Amino acid sequence: MGPEKTSCYVWWQGVFQVFLCFHGYFGEQPEEVAWEEWDLDAYQDALKNSNNLLGHSHFHTMTGDRKTTVGSFHFVYLVIFVVGTTAQFSDESEFTVNTSNQGLTHVPKGLPPQTKVLDMSQNHISELHLSDISFLSQLKVLRLSHNRLQSLDISLFKFNQDLEYLDLSHNQLQEISCHPITNLRHFDLSFNDFDVLPICKEFGNLTQLNFLGLSAKKLQPLDLLPIAHLHLSGILLDLEGYYVKEHETESLQILNTKTLHLVFHPNNIFSVQANISVNSLRCLQLNNIKLNDTNCQVFIKFLSQPTRGPNLLNFTLNHVETTWQCLVRVFQFLWPRPIEYLNIYNLTIVESIDEEEFTYPETSLKALTIEHVTNRVFIFSQTALYTVFSEMNILMLTISDTHFIHMLCPQTTSTFKVLNFTRNVFTDSIFQKCSTLVRLETLILQKNELKDLFKVGLMTKDMLSLEILDVSWNYLEYNRHDQNCTWVGSIVVLNLSSNVLTDSVFSCLPSRVRVLDLHNNRITRIPEDVNSLEALQELNVAFNSLAHLPGCGSFGSLSVLIIDYNSISNPSAHFFESCQKIRTINAGHNPFQCTCELRDFIQSIGQVSSEVVEGWPDSYQCDYPESYKGTLLKDFHVSPLTCNTALLIVTIGVTGLVLAVTLTALCIYLDLPWYLRMVCQWTQTRRRARNIPLDKLQRTLQFHAFISYSEHDSAWVKNELVPCLEKEDIRICLHERNFVPGKSIVENIINCIEKSYKSIFVLSPNFVQSEWCHYELYFAHHNLFHEGSDNLILILLEPIPQNNIPSKYHKLKSLMTQRTYLEWPKEKSKRGLFWANIRAAFNMKLVLNTENNDVEM
């Protein structure tokens, strides 16, 4: 194409290039856009090479659902302008005020002076005053469509010098008074009640104007003369109220616009007899065309003038009701015209469908798109209908949402490179044994009634140039394990998503496929013995039931893997080791089990670039156990000791050994065996006491005190302590005179302590060296806690240094620090007080039970 050809909106070329690649292979072209800058080869290269087909759109957006009804030029341009004009301050919400659809009858008060976008559409406003908007000096966009304005003085906007977008469409305007708004780019007066085109000389000063929307009931040749010098991107002309007497013809010269959109009355038979000529027209759209065999020639005559120019590349008909005969005549008329892209949306066929003669002269037409067909003819010849389309000598044919049940194979070698039959009811018989589609490169059969994957492969056998095949959203399955699938070897992009395929699909795939979409099927695992997909680069298996991440042993070239929304709980940590070429993986939204097995996988993710793992970390969350549910994998931490069994066993063993050594040392240090032996003996004595008959068990205290002392201190005890106490009638128990022969020493000690009101311990360095003295102290102290009495009297005969007390006598140390003891004074003058304290410990009377009689002491 020559450099002189530009698109209808030059600054949107790149945007619509992307639109083509991802929204339907020419399924629904924005009607105001000329596609002359678009190149078929570049388009298909983009399909084959773009990572976004799988990486960001799950592939199905490339051929996904599209609206069956094309929006009006007016709406599309509004969207374009809003994106282009207001995006610069769209993040500053305080600059936008939206009061649309609120039942307003006047402009609300108190609008922020800094408002840049003001939307008051779909209200009941009937008047607009200068004071309503004059203070909005920064206003750029004003929408007043769908209100009740009947007249308007454009000078109201003289203080809004920054105003660029003014929408007054769908009101009741009958007249306007003009005033130049120098920065205005979008000015819409369409769908109002003007008798003639509301053009005045001041419009000639709108040098920035790109779009102009108008309404009129009559046309005059020089109506648009004041703006003839302006180079507009688009004109919308509302002719719903247009009326002219029969056999009268009007004319209108439209200069310098790239896009022309004409809207006629939706319910009237087309009868406009007007000569509308346009210079430099690239895109033409006609809305609301109602035809029959009688007025068909009127419509063709109307088309003769605007379709004559050599620059018209894109022609769109929207909301068309016609007979089959008239439609074929329109095709025949347009075929030799310079149009390259013909689009028909919302087509209704009435009356009858009979075989019509149609010749296919050399044509400039590259693509025909027909979407959303309603057929009101119920009995007709299928051949008459399908033959017209199958024999077309064009590159691209889209017939979508038509409920066609079949399409014929071309009789001779076809020129088709792209066929799009989305949303029909084609069955597995489509194109079987068809050898004339040898140039076909892209075939889309999305949302049909295909059921057998084996037959789909067989269908492609003779399509020697086929590279892109989309059979998503069907009912495909593969159960023929006894037959090998036959595919043409040229397929590189295959979309099998949203079917009912299972694991067996991996044994019925074209060997050279590079981009494979299997998302939303019933796949539970990817077999390890897949050996025919070495060329596979991009794989989408999202929304299946896979339990494991596949390795790349069978997919040596795999670089993109989409496997989110499956049943993967413990993905392998070796994935990145086996998939060295992977550059994008999306495994989020799986039910991850946050256990030790997952730790290595999390660590492996941390070692790759964040650009490789798509959706990390937000899409990767724990699902089990319940305590971790909702926790991001990056925040899940578990100690190495918990997950390493060998290390755990070694740690437990070492800890047990250290504990055993510590307890052993502690036992030795505290003489624990000795204490255990004492407890055992005391327990045995207690048990024997419980076995004595009750009549013999009756026992009361026999002694005031039991004296425990070292044999080395016996002289002081016998010469000083005992005589002094017995002189006071205090009955003393001594081991040499009161121990019962035949009983064990321990048992005698226990009995004496229990029969004595007090236990006196004579402490000295000799005492701490006597093991039996320590026994007696132990049992007396135990009896203190057992009986709940205060029965110990400690007499310090000689000072005992703390470091001289053996470590096993910790109880003696404890008693000497916690209890008060009596120290034997060396000075005789102080001994009187000593004896007084001793006697004070026995200032009570007891009934002491002897063996034969009671004595009161």
Side-chain angles (χ1 to χ4, degrees):
M1 298 198 178
E4 72 280 4
K5 294 185 179 180
T6 59
S7 77
C8 292
Y9 297 107
V10 177
W11 50 286
W12 273 88
Q13 290 178 25
V15 174
F16 286 114
Q17 288 278 352
V18 176
F19 179 87
L20 277 176
C21 290
F22 295 101
H23 290 84
Y25 304 110
F26 304 103
E28 175 182 321
Q29 302 172 18
E31 56 276 11
E32 73 282 5
V33 178
W35 303 111
E36 71 275 16
E37 295 298 329
W38 182 88
D39 179 80
L40 176 63
D41 295 333
Y43 159 70
Q44 292 180 323
D45 288 342
L47 289 179
K48 290 180 284 186
N49 299 325
S50 172
N51 295 328
N52 288 329
L53 295 186
L54 286 175
H56 301 287
S57 303
H58 283 321
F59 188 98
H60 66 282
T61 56
M62 180 180 67
T63 58
D65 293 335
R66 297 180 301 275
K67 295 181 179 179
T68 57
T69 303
V70 179
S72 69
F73 175 90
H74 165 231
F75 173 76
V76 174
Y77 194 92
L78 183 151
V79 173
I80 293 174
F81 184 86
V82 169
V83 173
T85 304
T86 66
Q88 56 188 327
F89 51 86
S90 61
D91 58 340
E92 304 178 56
S93 57
E94 66 271 17
F95 291 162
T96 301
V97 176
N98 187 349
T99 60
S100 62
N101 199 21
Q102 295 185 11
L104 300 178
T105 58
H106 58 273
V107 177
K109 303 296 182 183
L111 295 173
Q114 68 272 28
T115 300
K116 293 187 177 181
V117 178
L118 177 57
D119 187 352
M120 296 186 291
S121 60
Q122 301 186 44
N123 282 293
H124 309 299
I125 300 174
S126 59
E127 292 182 325
L128 192 64
H129 302 97
L130 180 63
S131 59
D132 291 333
I133 57 173
S134 59
F135 62 95
L136 302 177
S137 59
Q138 301 181 45
L139 189 64
K140 290 181 177 292
V141 176
L142 176 60
R143 302 189 186 99
L144 279 167
S145 61
H146 296 275
N147 276 282
R148 298 178 179 177
L149 297 174
Q150 296 183 359
S151 62
L152 184 67
D153 186 351
I154 303 297
S155 64
L156 293 175
F157 306 107
K158 61 184 177 181
F159 296 109
N160 309 109
Q161 293 300 313
D162 292 337
L163 188 63
E164 298 180 3
Y165 183 103
L166 179 58
D167 185 357
L168 298 170
S169 64
H170 296 276
N171 276 278
Q172 302 169 12
L173 291 172
Q174 298 178 3
E175 59 180 0
I176 61 172
S177 58
C178 296
H179 181 86
I181 308 175
T182 55
N183 289 323
L184 202 60
R185 297 177 58 194
H186 180 106
F187 190 21
D188 195 351
L189 294 168
S190 62
F191 301 97
N192 279 284
D193 296 335
F194 299 111
D195 287 330
V196 296
L197 293 178
I199 299 293
C200 47
K201 62 180 182 179
E202 286 82 0
F203 283 13
N205 297 324
L206 304 179
T207 56
Q208 302 297 318
L209 194 64
N210 282 326
F211 170 83
L212 180 61
L214 300 170
S215 293
K217 297 177 182 178
K218 297 180 180 180
L219 300 177
Q220 298 179 7
L222 301 180
D223 279 347
L224 298 179
L225 184 61
I227 60 171
H229 60 286
L230 300 180
H231 294 273
L232 300 178
S233 294
I235 292 179
L236 169 61
L237 184 55
D238 163 34
L239 297 177
E240 285 190 0
Y242 177 80
Y243 173 76
V244 66
K245 293 181 180 181
E246 191 175 356
H247 306 302
E248 290 186 6
T249 302
E250 296 181 340
S251 60
L252 178 66
Q253 178 71 24
I254 302 177
L255 303 172
N256 301 324
T257 185
K258 298 174 183 177
T259 300
L260 177 61
H261 184 186
L262 303 178
V263 180
F264 303 98
H265 196 285
N267 299 321
N268 293 345
I269 294 292
F270 186 86
S271 60
V272 177
Q273 301 187 50
N275 295 324
I276 299 178
S277 59
V278 188
N279 292 344
S280 306
L281 185 63
R282 305 295 177 85
C283 303
L284 174 63
Q285 176 175 340
L286 307 182
N287 269 39
N288 303 329
I289 308 298
K290 195 170 184 178
L291 304 174
N292 55 33
D293 293 343
T294 303
N295 76 328
C296 189
Q297 189 59 37
V298 175
F299 180 65
I300 292 176
K301 182 178 179 181
F302 174 82
L303 292 180
S304 61
Q305 191 68 27
T307 60
R308 186 174 57 182
N311 298 318
L312 180 63
L313 301 177
N314 190 299
F315 181 35
T316 298
L317 297 171
N318 191 9
H319 291 286
V320 180
E321 180 180 307
T322 180
T323 62
W324 174 247
Q325 182 187 55
C326 183
L327 181 62
V328 174
R329 290 175 62 187
V330 171
F331 283 158
Q332 193 72 75
F333 170 77
L334 295 175
W335 220 252
R337 298 279 164 163
I339 300 170
E340 294 187 3
Y341 300 95
L342 174 59
N343 315 296
I344 304 176
Y345 302 111
N346 303 293
L347 171 65
T348 301
I349 300 177
V350 297
E351 296 187 9
S352 64
I353 298 178
D354 299 313
E355 186 171 347
E356 301 291 338
E357 183 179 356
F358 188 88
T359 59
Y360 301 93
E362 185 176 348
T363 180
S364 299
L365 192 65
K366 292 181 177 179
L368 169 63
T369 297
I370 302 177
E371 286 198 4
H372 192 66
V373 175
T374 300
N375 188 0
R376 294 182 181 171
V377 182
F378 302 106
I379 300 177
F380 60 92
S381 168
Q382 301 284 336
T383 303
L385 177 65
Y386 300 142
T387 301
V388 171
F389 298 110
S390 64
E391 303 303 322
M392 287 183 172
N393 55 339
I394 59 177
L395 299 178
M396 294 161 280
L397 174 63
T398 295
I399 300 179
S400 175
D401 194 16
T402 63
H403 298 287
F404 280 11
I405 63 174
H406 194 61
M407 180 55 60
L408 297 176
C409 177
Q411 297 178 8
T412 59
T413 301
S414 175
T415 59
F416 288 134
K417 287 191 173 184
V418 176
L419 290 177
N420 181 355
F421 298 118
T422 298
R423 291 194 299 273
N424 287 286
V425 285
F426 290 176
T427 63
D428 295 325
S429 63
I430 186 70
F431 295 141
Q432 293 295 331
K433 299 181 181 180
C434 181
S435 59
T436 55
L437 294 173
V438 293
R439 299 179 184 176
L440 187 64
E441 299 177 2
T442 299
L443 176 58
I444 304 171
L445 295 172
Q446 183 186 105
K447 292 189 175 181
N448 278 275
E449 299 291 330
L450 305 179
K451 296 181 179 180
D452 192 343
L453 183 62
F454 179 84
K455 290 185 177 180
V456 170
L458 205 59
M459 172 192 69
T460 68
K461 182 181 64 171
D462 297 319
M463 299 177 182
L464 304 180
S465 302
L466 187 64
E467 296 183 349
I468 301 171
L469 175 62
D470 183 354
V471 287
S472 60
W473 292 96
N474 279 279
Y475 305 94
L476 290 172
E477 55 185 345
Y478 176 69
N479 297 315
R480 303 194 185 194
H481 302 287
D482 56 334
Q483 293 179 281
N484 293 326
C485 290
T486 301
W487 294 88
V488 67
S490 57
I491 295 178
V492 293
V493 177
L494 177 59
N495 189 347
L496 294 171
S497 65
S498 299
N499 283 284
V500 289
L501 296 166
T502 61
D503 307 349
S504 61
V505 67
F506 288 95
S507 60
C508 184
L509 293 172
S511 59
R512 298 180 184 178
V513 63
R514 296 204 301 260
V515 178
L516 176 61
D517 189 353
L518 286 166
H519 87 268
N520 194 25
N521 276 281
R522 299 178 182 178
I523 301 171
T524 59
R525 71 181 186 92
I526 298 178
E528 296 181 359
D529 57 350
V530 177
N531 53 14
S532 60
L533 298 176
E534 288 298 324
L536 187 64
Q537 298 176 8
E538 304 182 12
L539 175 63
N540 186 345
V541 286
F543 293 95
N544 279 282
S545 301
L546 292 165
H548 303 284
L549 275 180
C552 291
S554 303
F555 314 120
S557 303
L558 191 66
S559 60
V560 176
L561 175 63
I562 311 299
I563 196 169
D564 54 340
Y565 293 100
N566 274 274
S567 301
I568 300 173
S569 56
N570 292 307
S572 171
H574 304 295
F575 172 78
F576 292 102
E577 296 178 8
S578 66
C579 299
Q580 297 290 332
K581 296 183 179 180
I582 205 76
R583 67 174 187 272
T584 298
I585 177 175
N586 186 347
H589 302 288
N590 275 288
F592 296 109
Q593 292 189 11
C594 289
T595 58
C596 292
E597 290 77 10
L598 194 65
R599 187 185 58 158
D600 293 338
F601 174 73
I602 299 174
Q603 291 177 347
S604 66
I605 289 182
Q607 295 173 358
V608 299
S609 170
S610 58
E611 297 178 355
V612 173
V613 186
E614 187 173 333
W616 179 267
D618 296 337
S619 303
Y620 297 75
Q621 299 181 4
C622 299
D623 186 70
Y624 177 87
E626 193 67 27
S627 58
Y628 283 105
K629 191 176 182 67
T631 302
L632 297 179
L633 295 195
K634 74 177 184 65
D635 297 329
F636 170 69
H637 303 288
V638 61
S639 66
L641 182 61
T642 305
C643 298
N644 192 323
T645 304
L647 180 60
L648 181 61
I649 293 174
V650 170
T651 302
I652 293 175
V654 171
T655 302
L657 181 62
V658 171
L659 183 61
V661 172
T662 302
L663 288 176
T664 302
L666 190 62
C667 289
I668 295 174
Y669 178 77
L670 297 177
D671 202 10
L672 186 62
W674 182 86
Y675 284 106
L676 293 176
R677 190 165 62 252
M678 290 299 99
V679 171
C680 182
Q681 292 180 355
W682 181 84
T683 303
Q684 291 174 354
T685 301
R686 280 287 187 180
R687 186 179 298 111
R688 286 197 296 271
R690 284 197 298 270
N691 294 331
I692 298 175
L694 291 176
D695 58 337
K696 294 185 178 181
L697 190 60
Q698 300 296 329
R699 177 187 303 170
T700 58
L701 296 177
Q702 297 181 10
F703 305 101
H704 282 95
F706 168 72
I707 300 177
S708 175
Y709 58 93
S710 170
E711 195 63 35
H712 296 286
D713 300 325
S714 61
W716 181 85
V717 172
K718 295 177 180 178
N719 297 328
E720 293 285 349
L721 182 58
V722 173
C724 184
L725 294 177
E726 289 184 340
K727 183 174 64 174
E728 299 293 334
D729 294 327
I730 296 175
R731 189 176 179 84
I732 301 299
C733 177
L734 297 174
H735 67 271
E736 62 266 26
R737 68 186 186 190
N738 296 108
F739 276 15
V740 178
K743 292 185 178 182
S744 68
I745 295 176
V746 172
E747 189 173 357
N748 273 310
I749 292 174
I750 294 174
N751 286 336
C752 285
I753 290 175
E754 290 183 344
K755 291 179 181 181
S756 301
Y757 173 60
K758 298 282 186 179
S759 293
I760 300 175
F761 291 89
V762 180
L763 305 179
S764 68
N766 298 319
F767 182 91
V768 300
Q769 301 302 322
S770 172
E771 187 170 343
W772 287 113
C773 289
H774 195 250
Y775 284 169
E776 293 166 351
L777 179 64
Y778 174 83
F779 290 126
H781 189 255
H782 188 276
N783 193 60
L784 166 68
F785 290 101
H786 179 71
E787 301 292 343
S789 59
D790 188 10
N791 62 353
L792 292 183
I793 298 176
L794 302 180
I795 298 176
L796 185 61
L797 182 61
E798 296 179 14
I800 305 175
Q802 288 287 324
N803 55 2
N804 287 349
I805 302 177
S807 59
K808 67 180 181 178
Y809 292 167
H810 64 90
K811 192 176 297 295
L812 176 59
K813 290 183 179 182
S814 176
L815 287 173
M816 292 184 68
T817 57
Q818 296 176 6
R819 301 180 65 85
T820 302
Y821 55 86
L822 300 175
E823 188 173 358
W824 173 251
K826 298 301 181 181
E827 300 87 349
K828 291 184 178 181
S829 59
K830 298 180 180 179
R831 293 176 180 174
L833 180 60
F834 173 83
W835 295 116
N837 288 331
I838 290 290
R839 288 193 296 271
F842 299 95
N843 59 349
M844 47 85 69
K845 294 183 178 182
L846 294 175
V847 177
L848 299 177
N849 182 25
T850 63
E851 292 182 2
N852 300 314
N853 51 358
D854 296 336
V855 178
E856 187 179 88
M857 300 293 291

